[in-house]
Amino acid sequence: MVFPTCAIYHSIHKITKRFIYRGSEIFEEICQLPEYYPTRTEASILKEYADEIAQLTGCCELVELGSGSSTKTRLLLDAYQKIGSSFKYVPTDVSGGILKNSVLELQEKYPNFSIEGFIGTYDETLAHLKSHPTQTSFEGTSLTRTICFLGSSAGNFPPQEFDCFLNQVVNALKPGNYFLLGIDLQKPKEILEPAYNDSKEVTAAFNLNMLSHLNWRFQGNFDLDLFTHKAIYNQEKSQIEMRLYCQENVTFSLEILDLKVDFEKGESILTEVSRKFDLAAIKVELEKKGLKVKKVWTDPKQWFGLILCQA
């Protein structure tokens, strides 16, 4: 669902605003945690190289997948503001509440930009982009498209799903368009595991919110107090695995699905995977999809990478 700068429409998706918005709020808290290095590391790369990125793509239609509050992206928007006003920013997210707030803030901060939010999943957003290949700024200028996927969300896709995701990205781009991808790079588990097991247990609250959502959506009776959060780095697969461990032998039900789930004490639910990438391997994968790697930027420790590709 698209909404212009002056009108916000309600999402037609059957997603509860309460728990999606709460999840977005908690994730914003996670990004500020001292243990969670990805956000500040990526922000440091953008702070140093945003001007170069803007110069390479030129003023464009910048579509951000999973924009959240667009905090880091403002470094890019500042860079684009320096090179011209024929620019359009399209933040997209499943949370209509946080998207509305960020669009209104950005509209005030960047009055010369065309800003238009889109409420939807990655699949829905990319399908919409595929069916709307030609974009113009509010000055009527034809713009080159740049799809932007910041953060470490690329790692949440298993390999086969990530392959499908890249196919969707390619289908949403015309020759000459750009794709800016943020990736979390491989590093020792002594750095990785604390980032997902923070001392304030904010990540634990984010993980448990999933059960709250299941309870709401499917009339479930999961008792959140019977689960504990833990994230472990799987060295063989180069991925963080977030789990919720049940503390008792118990049965829960999801009434709408007519489903009962039996747990034994110590049994876990795998709730999220966050893969960590090898830079050389991901560059090969992108090139095979027809996404020519134009430039790569990393931090001094090579913990995180930004890759600019051109279709």
Side-chain angles (χ1 to χ4, degrees):
M1 175 174 288
V2 180
F3 58 82
T5 54
C6 297
I8 306 296
Y9 297 100
H10 295 294
S11 170
I12 61 172
H13 309 299
K14 295 180 180 178
I15 298 175
T16 165
K17 292 181 179 180
R18 175 183 172 189
F19 295 112
I20 290 292
Y21 188 52
R22 179 56 184 151
S24 296
E25 287 181 323
I26 299 173
F27 185 72
E28 293 294 322
E29 293 178 42
I30 290 172
C31 291
Q32 304 303 317
L33 294 170
E35 298 98 330
Y36 194 74
Y37 64 86
T39 301
R40 64 175 180 272
T41 306
E42 186 180 35
S44 70
I45 298 171
L46 285 168
K47 187 174 182 180
E48 185 169 356
Y49 298 110
D51 288 346
E52 185 178 355
I53 294 170
Q55 289 291 340
L56 285 169
T57 66
C59 276
C60 59
E61 178 209 33
L62 182 69
V63 182
E64 184 175 8
L65 304 176
S67 59
S69 60
S70 302
T71 303
K72 296 190 301 279
T73 318
R74 298 176 198 217
L75 295 166
L76 277 175
L77 300 185
D78 290 342
Y80 282 112
Q81 193 169 45
K82 295 175 186 177
I83 65 173
S85 59
S86 295
F87 178 81
K88 182 175 184 178
Y89 177 49
V90 183
T92 76
D93 207 280
V94 293
S95 174
I98 201 164
L99 189 60
K100 173 183 176 179
N101 292 339
S102 62
V103 165
L104 293 175
E105 288 178 14
L106 293 169
Q107 182 181 316
E108 184 174 349
K109 184 175 181 181
Y110 303 98
N112 293 328
F113 288 170
S114 172
I115 301 176
E116 183 179 274
F118 183 91
I119 302 171
T121 63
Y122 300 144
D123 289 345
E124 291 166 335
T125 301
L126 292 169
H128 173 78
L129 294 176
K130 180 182 178 181
S131 62
H132 295 78
T134 304
Q135 296 295 322
T136 58
S137 70
F138 63 167
E139 297 175 339
T141 307
S142 180
L143 297 173
T144 298
R145 172 173 289 164
T146 298
I147 295 178
C148 176
F149 194 35
L150 299 178
S152 54
S153 297
N156 298 142
F157 291 98
Q160 187 174 358
E161 290 183 21
F162 186 61
D163 185 77
C164 293
F165 169 78
L166 290 180
N167 287 335
Q168 290 176 297
V169 170
V170 171
N171 289 334
L173 298 173
K174 295 195 297 184
N177 287 179
Y178 293 94
F179 178 45
L180 180 64
L181 175 66
I183 53 168
D184 199 6
L185 301 176
Q186 295 175 7
K187 57 188 70 66
K189 71 174 185 177
E190 290 77 16
I191 298 169
L192 289 167
E193 289 187 353
Y196 296 85
N197 296 291
D198 63 276
S199 58
K200 293 184 178 180
E201 299 187 346
V202 180
T203 310
F206 178 83
N207 207 2
L208 288 164
N209 186 63
M210 182 201 69
L211 297 181
S212 297
H213 182 88
L214 288 174
N215 283 343
W216 180 90
R217 187 162 187 181
F218 300 111
Q219 293 182 17
N221 64 346
F222 282 102
D223 185 346
L224 276 60
D225 291 334
L226 294 183
F227 288 87
T228 57
H229 157 87
K230 189 174 184 180
I232 298 172
Y233 184 56
N234 184 324
Q235 193 82 42
E236 183 180 349
K237 295 183 177 180
S238 299
Q239 64 187 28
I240 282 286
E241 296 174 354
M242 278 179 31
R243 295 180 178 272
L244 291 173
Y245 288 85
C246 191
Q247 302 304 300
E248 294 182 8
N249 296 330
V250 65
T251 299
F252 297 111
S253 62
L254 297 169
E255 294 296 333
I256 290 179
L257 300 179
D258 191 24
L259 176 67
K260 292 189 181 296
V261 186
D262 297 319
F263 285 90
E264 294 183 2
K265 183 177 181 180
E267 192 172 1
S268 67
I269 309 170
L270 177 62
T271 56
E272 181 179 318
V273 165
S274 182
R275 293 195 295 143
K276 308 306 171 186
F277 293 91
D278 175 81
L279 190 54
I282 188 66
K283 286 167 66 177
V284 170
E285 189 172 356
L286 291 166
E287 294 272 3
K288 285 181 177 178
K289 293 295 181 184
L291 294 166
K292 182 176 176 57
V293 176
K294 301 291 290 184
K295 195 71 182 282
V296 177
W297 300 272
T298 64
D299 60 286
K301 295 179 180 178
Q302 294 205 327
W303 282 5
F304 203 93
L306 278 179
I307 306 175
L308 180 66
C309 308
Q310 189 171 30

